């Protein structure tokens, strides 16, 4: 029997409560940071280190409902990314973000709170993907945000999967930000599927941008002069980085994304996608992680 999530609350530090749409979430408040993780999707929606505005962005139009993804924060894409390769009717970015995860533990130490949530494959999931797994998201809210995604093969056969921590960052104006760390890296553009020539220099967002950077584990740095901050995203065991902003037309076509919200966000995604999806044997665990830090410019 899963533990009653309320029993894991730490008074005034990490409270389990009904959040938007009545979905259960853990709300963390310490001397170093505030943050929120929903059990729905194992989804972090907020991280505000002391003295900063929220580092993560969520749409005003987001759904907060069973079986629908939350638009913003850190959706977990698993066990596939984008369209399901062998079945176009499969939910985009997999089904982990559509399901309720179980709250396993909450630990508090020295102003840092680690919340661990987990999802096991179940009958609803096996309709789409037959493999036995448990996926855990272990999230530490502190001066830094550390998010570790652990996929364990609990079945008898090897399997290959794709995964992403699809982080939406709040920015003052996406047209003014600079993203560094990906200069010279090959990328595939998801807009036309083409493999584009690597470009030198920082990335500037001047149009719809949807790129999978290939075979790069490098840290990515987002400089935002409007909010006067630099966000550093370190990755572990992630061979791809996706950079996404929908720009004007695509924003208008997404019902859960405000028409005028596109300048306020950029996605920089820690992931293993396409042919980079990891393969794990029975009893093996694959760990991928993201660590975020904020500094003034
Ligand atoms: C990005 C993809 O990771 O997620 C884009 O590269 C996609 O192609 C975007 O549009 C948002 O996806 P969704 O399913 O959350 O609307």
């Amino acid at each position: 029997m899963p533990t009653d999530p309320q029993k894991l609350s730490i008074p005034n530090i990490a409270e389990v409560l009904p959040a938007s749409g009545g979905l259960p979430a853990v709300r963390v408040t310490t001397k170093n940071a505030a943050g929120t993780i929903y059990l729905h999707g194992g989804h972090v929606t907020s991280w505000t280190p002391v003295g900063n505005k929220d580092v993560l962005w969520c749409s005003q139009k987001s759904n907060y409902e069973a079986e629908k993804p939350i638009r913003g924060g850190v959706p977990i894409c698993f066990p596939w990314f984008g369209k399901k390769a062998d079945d176009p009717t499969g939910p985009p970015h997999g089904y982990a973000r559509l399901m309720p995860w179980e709250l396993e533990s909450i630990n508090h130490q020295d102003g840092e709170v680690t919340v661990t949530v987990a999802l096991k494959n179940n009958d609803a999931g096996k309709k789409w993907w037959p493999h036995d797994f448990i996926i855990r998201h272990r999230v530490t809210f502190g001066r830094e945000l550390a998010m570790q995604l652990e996929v364990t093969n609990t079945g008898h056969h090897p399997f290959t999967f794709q995964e992403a921590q699809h982080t939406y960052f709040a920015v003052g104006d996406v047209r003014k930000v600079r993203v560094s760390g990906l200069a010279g890296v090959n990328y595939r553009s998801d807009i036309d599927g083409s493999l584009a020539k690597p470009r030198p220099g920082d990335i500037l967002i001047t149009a719809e941008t949807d790129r999978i950077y290939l075979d790069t584990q490098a840290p990515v740095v987002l400089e935002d002069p409007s909010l006067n901050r630099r966000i550093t995203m370190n990755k572990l065991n992630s061979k791809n980085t996706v950079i996404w902003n929908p720009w004007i037309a695509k924003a208008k076509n997404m019902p859960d994304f405000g028409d005028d919200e596109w300048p306020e966000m950029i996605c920089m995604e820690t992931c293993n996608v396409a042919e980079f999806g990891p393969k794990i044997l029975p009893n093996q665990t694959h760990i991928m992680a993201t660590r975020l830090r904020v500094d003034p410019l």
Side-chain angles (χ1 to χ4, degrees), residues 92-276:
H93 288 332
Y95 53 84
R97 64 177 179 164
L98 309 177
M99 290 192 167
W101 293 36
E102 191 188 318
L103 179 60
E104 282 195 335
S105 61
I106 304 179
N107 291 297
H108 176 222
Q109 202 176 14
D110 301 332
E112 295 203 326
V113 172
T114 301
V115 181
T116 303
V117 291
L119 175 74
K120 286 191 188 116
N121 211 4
N122 53 29
D123 290 346
K126 285 183 182 173
K127 218 175 67 189
W128 297 111
W129 211 67
H131 307 289
D132 286 311
F133 64 78
I134 179 157
I135 179 169
R136 288 194 169 82
H137 205 199
R138 216 179 279 281
V139 179
T140 302
F141 297 91
R143 279 184 208 282
E144 300 193 346
L145 180 69
M147 301 182 288
Q148 180 158 302
L149 197 64
E150 306 171 0
V151 179
T152 301
N153 182 343
T154 53
H156 300 292
H157 306 283
F159 63 72
T160 300
F161 61 95
Q162 298 173 0
E163 59 182 344
Q165 290 165 314
H166 186 308
T167 308
Y168 287 74
F169 293 90
V171 294
D173 183 344
V174 79
R175 291 161 290 199
K176 296 188 179 148
V177 305
R178 276 179 178 275
V179 177
S180 57
L182 296 167
V185 178
N186 276 324
Y187 67 87
R188 198 172 294 147
S189 169
D190 232 30
I191 297 165
D192 57 7
S194 65
L195 186 63
K197 255 180 51 190
R199 296 189 197 180
D202 294 345
I203 301 167
L204 304 176
I205 307 294
T206 56
E208 182 185 351
T209 303
D210 193 354
R211 301 178 183 169
I212 302 176
Y213 284 84
L214 305 172
D215 222 346
T216 172
Q217 310 232 21
V220 184
V221 178
L222 171 66
E223 284 197 359
D224 181 353
S226 317
L227 295 182
N228 189 37
R229 68 186 181 189
R230 174 187 297 112
I231 298 168
T232 305
M233 179 171 102
N234 279 292
K235 313 192 305 163
L236 176 77
N237 292 339
S238 151
K239 293 191 173 159
N240 310 116
T241 299
V242 167
I243 303 292
W244 181 60
N245 178 280
W247 209 250
I248 302 162
K250 187 155 184 184
K252 284 208 169 101
N253 280 331
M254 292 187 286
D256 60 344
F257 195 113
D259 290 1
D260 302 323
E261 288 182 327
W262 60 270
E264 303 167 9
M265 53 68 67
I266 184 169
C267 286
M268 307 193 320
E269 307 169 31
T270 300
C271 51
N272 288 306
V273 301
E275 67 275 28
F276 293 87

